[in-house]
């Protein structure tokens, strides 16, 4: 491309230079010739008054020498006497004398000017001034050389500017192409510095925006896979508990082995889904995308515009877990407000939060550990509180980071945190009055619930504390 642009600049500038250089050279030559001829005619005219006063040869020679130092000024007197070396053809001289006609024309070797002067007695003298060819072209070659040098400089400058412009265009295009190849190979950190002409700068900005959007979309996709895989742990836990109840039967060992194999495969899927978020050339970009779109990284992304009664969903999911809790002798308490608890999430998203929090209790506390679930309505939000009597969470702040806990993917708490963030809420982790973990997930109320609180009613408590005896 650089050669093409330089060739185009060379051709165009050369044509422009020639279109001006040729007429200008001819004009310079014409002006020099015209100036020389005009000067010769003026010298001849200046000698005419002297000739009307005297025809003395000495005086005329002195006057001619004063007007023309090159001694090209010649006087032809009426008596056929000639003062100086004449260059005029005899026919031209005779025409000027007899016809009393001023003549100025080209002759071999130069330019001749004949100026007739009428003397007393009706006699005619002729003043001749010859301009040789050297005088007619004096300074023309120097002028042509200067103009040629200027033309060469302009052509060279235009080629240099075109080459520099082409270099910028080529470099910008190469970097954009290289970045595209690198991005296509999976390095999502690839960005370009917009440079070159405006169109290429716009292309660079668009490329960076596209790459950034790709990292966001891939981060969302990876987290959705991890979230969906994590949701499968709830029925997996039920299968695991069911296999424990089958202990002693011929099928128990096989069922237990299948459950462990399924759990291993599920953990591998979660780990594979999380890998680009932490390692490899895609790691940094993915972490940036996760931070920049916390409200879109959960399954609740598809639930925008949905509304659900959080209390009803919590009641149903807690009833499911209560059966498992009874099998492990876990005391379980449930307190749910009777006030409206509409939030901008789907039933599945709220169920995923409940399953994640209660599932953590089953996964990280020994059998027999008591836990409780509460749903509280405030002026602006609905609070879901899950607490247990287990060992608690040693580092609550670190627990919100995925994969930070030993033996845990960290997805459960992250699902709850991001679901709360979708509604404009938050999540808190602390040590509860029972001595274990105390997790509060705050869901902002749906817009229609913010106009005023419904009639307050007493909290309805249902649950098993201690658990019912079988």
């Amino acid at each position: 491309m650089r050669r093409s642009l330089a060739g185009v600049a060379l051709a165009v500038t050369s044509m422009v230079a020639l279109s001006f250089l040729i007429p200008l050279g001819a004009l310079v030559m014409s002006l020099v010739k015209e100036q020389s001829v005009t000067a010769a005619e003026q010298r001849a005219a200046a000698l005419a008054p002297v000739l009307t006063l005297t025809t003395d040869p000495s005086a005329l020679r002195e006057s001619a020498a004063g007007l023309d130092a090159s001694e090209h000024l010649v006087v032809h007197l009426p008596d056929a006497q000639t003062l100086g070396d004449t260059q005029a053809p005899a026919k031209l001289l005779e025409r000027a004398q007899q016809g009393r006609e001023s003549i100025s024309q080209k002759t071999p070797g130069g330019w001749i000017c004949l100026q007739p002067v009428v003397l007393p007695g009706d006699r005619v003298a002729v003043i001749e001034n010859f301009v040789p060819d050297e005088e007619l072209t004096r300074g023309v070659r120097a002028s042509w050389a200067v103009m040629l040098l200027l033309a060469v400089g302009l052509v060279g400058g235009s080629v240099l500017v075109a080459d520099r412009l082409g270099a910028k265009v080529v470099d910008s295009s190469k970097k954009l192409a290289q970045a595209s190849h690198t991005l296509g190979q999976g390095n999502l950190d690839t960005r370009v510095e917009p440079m070159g002409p405006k169109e290429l700068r716009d292309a660079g900005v668009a490329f960076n925006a596209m790459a950034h959007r790709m990292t966001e979309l891939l981060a969302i996709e990876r987290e959705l896979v991890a979230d969906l895989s994590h949701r499968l742990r709830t029925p997996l836990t039920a299968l695991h508990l069911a296999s424990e109840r089958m202990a002693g039967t011929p099928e128990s060992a096989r069922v237990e082995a299948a459950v462990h194999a399924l759990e291993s495969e599920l953990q591998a899927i979660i780990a594979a889904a999380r890998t680009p978020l932490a390692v490899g050339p895609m790691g940094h970009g993915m972490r940036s995308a996760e931070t920049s779109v916390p409200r879109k990284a959960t399954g609740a992304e598809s639930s925008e515009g949905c509304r659900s009664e959080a209390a009803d969903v919590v009641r149903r999911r807690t009833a499911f877990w209560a059966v498992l809790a009874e099998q492990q002798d876990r005391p379980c308490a449930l307190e749910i407000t009777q006030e409206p608890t509409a939030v901008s999430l789907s039933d599945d998203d709220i169920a995923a939060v409940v399953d994640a929090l209660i599932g953590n209790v089953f996964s990280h506390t020994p059998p027999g550990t008591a836990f409780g679930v509460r749903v509280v309505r405030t002026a602006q939000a609905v609070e879901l509180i899950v607490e247990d009597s287990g060992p608690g969470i040693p580092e609550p702040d670190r627990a919100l980071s995925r994969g930070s806990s030993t033996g845990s993917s960290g997805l459960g708490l992250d699902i709850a945190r991001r679901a709360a963030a979708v509604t404009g809420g938050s999540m808190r982790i602390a040590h509860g009055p029972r001595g274990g973990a105390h997790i509060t997930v705050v869901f902002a109320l749906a817009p229609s619930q913010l106009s005023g609180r419904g009639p307050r009613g007493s909290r309805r408590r249902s649950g098993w504390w201690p658990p019912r005896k079988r």
Side-chain angles (χ1 to χ4, degrees):
M1 177 177 280
R2 291 177 60 181
R3 291 183 178 179
S4 300
L5 289 177
V8 170
L10 176 62
V12 172
T13 313
S14 298
M15 288 188 293
V16 173
L18 288 176
S19 64
F20 282 96
L21 190 61
I22 294 175
L24 191 59
L27 179 62
V28 168
M29 177 178 284
S30 176
L31 288 176
V32 171
K33 177 182 177 180
E34 184 178 352
Q35 289 176 356
S36 300
V37 172
T38 302
E41 292 175 349
Q42 289 176 351
R43 288 193 295 268
L47 187 61
V50 178
L51 189 59
T52 58
L53 295 176
T54 179
T55 57
D56 181 58
S58 300
L60 292 175
R61 286 191 180 95
E62 184 177 355
S63 299
L67 293 172
D68 188 6
S70 57
E71 298 181 353
H72 292 308
L73 197 60
V74 179
V75 179
H76 298 274
L77 296 175
D79 56 2
Q81 185 180 1
T82 301
L83 304 179
D85 297 330
T86 181
Q87 300 290 336
K91 291 183 179 181
L92 288 179
L93 185 61
E94 182 180 357
R95 192 175 77 181
Q97 287 177 340
Q98 294 179 359
R100 300 179 183 184
E101 176 186 356
S102 296
I103 299 176
S104 179
Q105 69 177 44
K106 183 74 172 65
T107 60
W111 192 274
I112 193 73
C113 296
L114 298 177
Q115 177 67 42
V117 179
V118 179
L119 302 178
D122 200 29
R123 296 178 302 167
V124 178
V126 178
I127 301 174
E128 172 192 339
N129 197 353
F130 178 76
V131 183
D133 289 334
E134 294 80 12
E135 292 289 335
L136 294 175
T137 59
R138 178 177 296 177
V140 173
R141 292 184 179 180
S143 300
W144 283 0
V146 172
M147 289 188 293
L148 183 61
L149 289 177
L150 288 176
V152 171
L154 290 175
V155 172
S158 65
V159 172
L160 181 61
V161 171
D163 181 73
R164 290 297 87 202
L165 179 60
K168 289 184 178 180
V169 173
V170 170
D171 291 343
S172 180
S173 301
K174 285 183 177 179
K175 289 182 179 179
L176 189 59
Q178 183 178 3
S180 300
H181 289 302
T182 305
L183 183 66
Q185 293 172 357
N187 188 352
L188 300 183
D189 282 333
T190 303
R191 298 293 186 274
V192 296
E193 180 181 356
M195 57 182 295
K198 181 180 182 301
E199 292 77 10
L200 286 177
R201 291 199 303 270
D202 293 342
V205 172
F207 175 88
N208 292 338
M210 177 193 68
H212 182 69
R213 183 56 180 162
M214 285 181 60
T215 58
E216 291 181 349
L217 294 177
L218 287 176
I220 292 172
E221 180 184 1
R222 292 280 181 170
E223 294 197 8
L224 284 176
V225 172
D227 292 351
L228 294 175
S229 301
H230 188 272
R231 291 186 182 186
L232 294 177
R233 285 186 166 179
T234 298
L236 185 64
T237 302
L239 289 176
H240 184 73
L241 295 177
S243 67
E244 290 181 353
R245 296 179 59 186
M246 296 172 59
T249 63
E251 299 292 331
S252 62
R254 187 171 61 181
V255 172
E256 187 68 22
V259 170
H260 282 298
L262 182 58
E263 186 174 12
S264 299
E265 291 295 331
L266 190 59
Q267 185 64 29
I269 292 174
I270 296 175
R274 290 180 55 249
T275 297
L277 302 178
V279 298
M282 299 165 64
H284 176 73
M286 285 302 182
R287 286 191 296 272
S288 300
E290 180 183 9
T291 323
S292 62
V293 285
R295 297 173 63 91
K296 293 293 184 182
T298 180
E301 176 192 20
S302 61
S303 65
E304 292 183 359
C306 296
R307 282 189 51 184
S308 298
E309 281 292 333
D312 294 340
V313 179
V314 173
R315 183 182 298 107
R316 291 196 302 268
R317 296 313 300 165
T318 305
F320 166 81
W321 287 99
V323 177
L324 304 180
E326 185 177 4
Q327 294 174 358
Q328 292 189 357
D329 293 329
R330 292 178 180 270
C332 172
L334 175 63
E335 296 182 10
I336 297 181
T337 181
Q338 293 182 343
E339 297 184 58
T341 56
V343 296
S344 299
L345 287 175
S346 66
D347 289 356
D348 290 341
D349 294 320
I350 299 175
V353 174
V354 177
D355 290 342
L357 298 181
I358 299 180
N360 282 344
V361 176
F362 279 78
S363 300
H364 301 291
T365 61
T369 302
F371 70 95
V373 180
R374 287 187 291 154
V375 177
V376 180
R377 162 73 185 268
T378 64
Q380 301 291 330
V382 176
E383 295 183 357
L384 169 62
I385 303 170
V386 178
E387 54 186 350
D388 60 68
S389 302
I393 300 177
E395 301 179 14
D397 294 335
R398 188 182 175 190
L400 292 176
S401 300
R402 291 188 170 195
S404 60
S405 302
T406 304
S408 172
S409 65
L411 282 170
L413 296 178
D414 192 58
I415 290 174
R417 176 183 63 83
R418 287 183 287 110
V422 168
T423 68
S426 61
M427 187 175 77
R428 301 187 299 271
I429 301 178
H431 292 284
R434 303 180 190 276
H438 183 92
I439 302 175
T440 303
V441 182
V442 181
F443 301 107
L445 285 170
S448 60
Q449 295 292 318
L450 295 176
S451 59
R453 298 186 57 171
R456 296 185 57 90
S458 60
R459 291 179 180 175
R460 181 177 62 184
R461 173 171 178 169
S462 62
W464 306 266
W465 201 286
R468 295 176 293 176
K469 299 299 183 179
R470 298 178 57 188

